[in-house]
Amino acid sequence: ILMISGTFVFPYRGMLIPANEYNIPTEVMEISRIIEEDYGETLETPAQKMLDKRVALPYDLELRLRTYDASLSYGISRNAYIYINENGLYTNKKKYNTEEYVIRAIVCGYQEDAKKLRKCIDKLEIKYFVTSKTFEMDEYFAQINCYPIGTTGTYEVYKVEK
């Protein structure tokens, strides 16, 4: 805390105290815990474990989740998010078509062709994904063998079954 001329520059009531030692939202930590509990302990190599824990989630969560749990890998590339953020959805850029289709479902709640979504999920080798609970996507995702394994205050975590 800084003091100049006998007064606090940042009064205590205006300071934000981190909720945890990582200074990461508790909800992000809950998502990681849900995936880790479902995944369980294995004897796989770290590289195989990262492939098996490939997660697709909204970009703001993606940055924080990977900071907290480095054993997870991204199901959607950072470049795809940046491109779509700059150019909008339905850009028809061949390079990002697969990722864009998944983004429309998990970030926007669009319920388009479920079989096509499943092909995109398989192509990207996504094993888990996170979406807003407000979208109420359980029935839609069940069509393609993706089922909820846990919830947080705002999000629902799904596992992709074979």
Side-chain angles (χ1 to χ4, degrees):
I1 298 181
L2 297 174
M3 241 178 146
I4 300 175
S5 304
T7 60
F8 290 110
V9 175
F10 301 108
Y12 177 75
R13 66 184 173 277
M15 292 178 60
L16 296 175
I17 307 295
N20 54 60
E21 61 199 38
Y22 304 103
N23 198 20
I24 289 179
T26 306
E27 207 163 31
V28 170
M29 295 167 68
E30 289 176 35
I31 291 168
S32 174
R33 180 192 52 77
I34 290 167
I35 293 170
E36 191 61 39
E37 284 177 2
D38 179 76
Y39 186 77
E41 293 296 318
T42 65
L43 299 175
E44 298 172 340
T45 65
Q48 182 61 41
K49 188 174 182 180
M50 284 183 76
L51 182 62
D52 285 349
K53 290 174 71 179
R54 183 163 293 173
V55 182
L57 57 164
Y59 187 61
D60 59 326
L61 287 178
E62 192 173 86
L63 297 174
R64 292 183 174 119
L65 187 62
R66 182 63 198 263
T67 299
Y68 178 71
D69 186 351
S71 72
L72 301 171
S73 62
Y74 297 147
I76 299 171
S77 73
R78 180 176 177 265
N79 289 338
Y81 271 118
I82 291 170
Y83 181 83
I84 290 166
N85 188 44
E86 291 173 354
N87 299 287
L89 293 172
Y90 300 101
T91 58
N92 294 322
K93 175 142 177 125
K94 191 172 185 176
K95 183 175 181 180
Y96 298 122
N97 274 351
T98 303
E99 291 168 300
E100 182 181 327
Y101 207 84
V102 175
I103 289 170
R104 290 198 306 255
I106 68 167
V107 176
C108 304
Y110 294 0
Q111 295 187 24
E112 301 172 298
D113 181 359
K115 289 180 182 178
K116 182 174 180 184
L117 176 62
R118 180 58 195 229
K119 286 180 185 177
C120 293
I121 287 171
D122 290 344
K123 183 176 182 181
L124 295 170
E125 299 179 342
I126 293 169
K127 307 298 184 201
Y128 298 93
F129 58 91
V130 179
T131 189
S132 174
K133 287 183 354 183
T134 60
F135 296 153
E136 299 178 1
M137 305 279 275
D138 289 357
E139 288 181 30
Y140 173 67
F141 290 139
Q143 295 174 43
I144 56 172
N145 293 329
C146 299
Y147 302 99
I149 57 169
T151 61
T152 67
T154 311
Y155 298 100
E156 191 138 30
V157 182
Y158 291 84
K159 181 176 184 175
V160 178
E161 300 286 344
K162 296 192 183 256

